[in-house]
Amino acid sequence: WFLLAGTAVLLPVILGYTAYVYWVFRGKTDPNEGYH
């Protein structure tokens, strides 16, 4: 139960933080500059 509760709390936090970071930095990258 402890692991289930921890997952239920942390998973939305991680997903929300990831979406927030993508939202904040979406306009700061150069479209011509990729990972290659």
Side-chain angles (χ1 to χ4, degrees):
W1 283 108
F2 178 74
L3 291 177
L4 184 62
T7 302
V9 171
L10 285 178
L11 193 61
V13 171
I14 292 171
L15 292 177
Y17 177 75
T18 303
Y20 172 74
V21 169
Y22 274 114
W23 184 260
V24 168
F25 290 104
R26 69 189 185 282
K28 292 184 171 62
T29 56
D30 188 359
N32 296 325
E33 182 180 352
Y35 291 103
H36 48 279

